[in-house]
Amino acid sequence: MSTSPAPIIIDTDPGVDDFIAILMALRSPDLDLLGLTTVGGNTSLGNATLNALRTLRAGGRPDITVASGAAEGRTRPFIFADHFHGETGLAMELPLPDMEALETSAVTWLAQTLTNRSDSITLLPVGPVTNIARLIEEHPEAANRIGRMIVMGGAVDCPGNATDCAEFNTWNDPEAAEIVFGFGIETTLIGLDVCNQVAFTRENIREGAGPGRLMMDAWFAEHPDSKEFHLCDPLAVAVAIDPTLVQTESISVAVDTSDGPERGNTSRCTGRGADGPPIDVALEVDVERAVRIISALAL
Ligand code: BDR
Ligand code: CA
């Protein structure tokens, strides 16, 4: 019996791994990508929005909606990752898009789409969750209509990548992450606990011939000393396609919003807050199967 593709929206800050993730969503017969909302993070909001449009063009779907969102975090400007993703946010130059982003903001478009559609939408935030926190504050009824969120963020039982303890997306807006994880939407958290295990290497991209392969070649050329590229955002899309790829534990997650060295750290809530809504934190992943799914759709 065939089922219809699941409607999804990706909230993104492209970003090389965001590019791969979006290509997967475009190519998967199991997913129906309704639109992209953008946020600053890996790069400025302006670059992220252009890159979202460029990615849709590269994937042959320039008709898909892009709505632009937050240029800064709730309490601080974003700190970009040009050293990793490149000055424009992508490792390779892509043609300028011939489409434009909506005039409507990301938060308004999300609220309208969630309200107007009768089916259950899965939301995949793969950048700082600033737009989603605003949606919750400004349109809580619409946010309550989200079927499930698959969030790329956090590092619960492992070290961080932005600092010793914090993962980049939660570190860039921990105040937003605290609101989003505490709101009670059914959530799967795809953090570094699993993302660090799933990687492209120069060897396992050899079979590809499409835009994903070209992007990875460009990234490895820019990073001659790197042996692997962690597939963080693509793993979130792979889990939207096949939730059995990861094993999860239901945990209340605390986000550190202090000004200290722990800022952005995500940890198991003990003490105060331990009665907050639990989310499904991915702690184990079927690495081989995940790499196979990502390669087949993105390279
Ligand atoms: C996350 O941060 C960004 O650099 C990637 O795009 C991914 O969303 C990994 O920590
Ligand atoms: Ca990202």
Side-chain angles (χ1 to χ4, degrees):
M1 194 181 71
S2 73
T3 49
S4 42
I8 66 160
I9 296 171
I10 304 183
D11 184 72
T12 174
D13 59 339
V16 172
D17 64 324
D18 303 67
F19 174 84
I20 302 281
I22 296 164
L23 285 182
M24 290 174 66
L26 293 177
R27 290 179 179 176
S28 168
D30 298 315
L31 302 177
D32 175 16
L33 181 62
L34 303 181
L36 301 176
T37 50
T38 60
V39 61
N42 287 326
T43 188
S44 67
L45 177 67
N47 281 342
T49 303
L50 275 179
N51 291 344
L53 291 159
R54 287 180 169 119
T55 306
L56 292 174
R57 183 177 168 169
R61 291 297 309 274
D63 55 298
I64 289 180
T65 298
V66 175
S68 164
E72 37 188 58
R74 289 181 72 81
T75 62
R76 299 181 185 188
F78 292 129
I79 295 175
F80 307 140
D82 347 6
H83 58 284
F84 185 84
H85 292 272
E87 231 170 83
T88 64
L90 295 177
M92 151 185 138
E93 266 191 45
L94 287 175
L96 270 177
D98 31 29
M99 304 296 281
E100 286 185 5
L102 289 185
E103 300 233 336
T104 310
S105 74
V107 170
T108 304
W109 181 78
L110 280 170
Q112 288 169 350
T113 307
L114 288 160
T115 306
N116 294 341
R117 287 187 62 117
S118 54
D119 46 1
S120 167
I121 296 176
T122 300
L123 181 62
L124 277 84
V126 297
V129 289
T130 318
N131 291 333
I132 319 307
R134 278 197 200 157
L135 175 75
I136 288 170
E137 279 183 340
E138 293 172 23
H139 305 278
E141 312 77 23
N144 266 320
R145 293 175 62 85
I146 296 170
R148 172 165 283 273
M149 281 197 303
I150 303 177
V151 179
M152 193 283 123
V156 174
D157 287 344
C158 69
N161 57 1
T163 66
D164 284 350
C165 61
E167 181 278 331
F168 182 81
N169 290 339
T170 48
W171 173 72
N172 243 327
D173 198 346
E175 285 82 6
E178 189 174 47
I179 292 170
V180 172
F181 297 166
F183 186 63
I185 300 168
E186 288 206 22
T187 297
T188 306
L189 190 69
I190 303 297
L192 299 183
D193 304 84
V194 282
C195 296
N196 282 350
Q197 300 176 51
V198 180
F200 277 155
T201 60
R202 286 183 176 75
E203 286 67 48
N204 67 11
I205 59 169
R206 273 205 309 245
E207 300 296 310
R213 161 74 195 270
L214 295 178
M215 182 63 74
M216 287 320 309
D217 278 349
W219 188 86
F220 277 116
E222 287 292 316
H223 298 82
D225 297 333
S226 295
K227 294 202 166 27
E228 53 181 32
F229 176 91
H230 292 153
L231 295 163
C232 297
D233 300 349
L235 184 57
V237 175
V239 170
I241 295 168
D242 183 353
T244 69
L245 278 177
V246 288
Q247 284 171 33
T248 62
E249 195 178 323
S250 179
I251 304 170
S252 290
V253 172
V255 187
D256 191 295
T257 56
S258 72
D259 280 335
E262 297 268 308
R263 184 170 172 79
N265 187 21
T266 45
S267 55
R268 292 161 184 266
C269 236
T270 48
R272 196 167 67 85
D275 52 352
I279 59 178
D280 297 328
V281 177
L283 294 172
E284 303 286 341
V285 54
D286 183 335
V287 176
E288 246 179 61
R289 205 149 58 87
V291 172
R292 222 181 310 129
I293 291 176
I294 295 167
S295 304
L297 289 170
L299 290 181

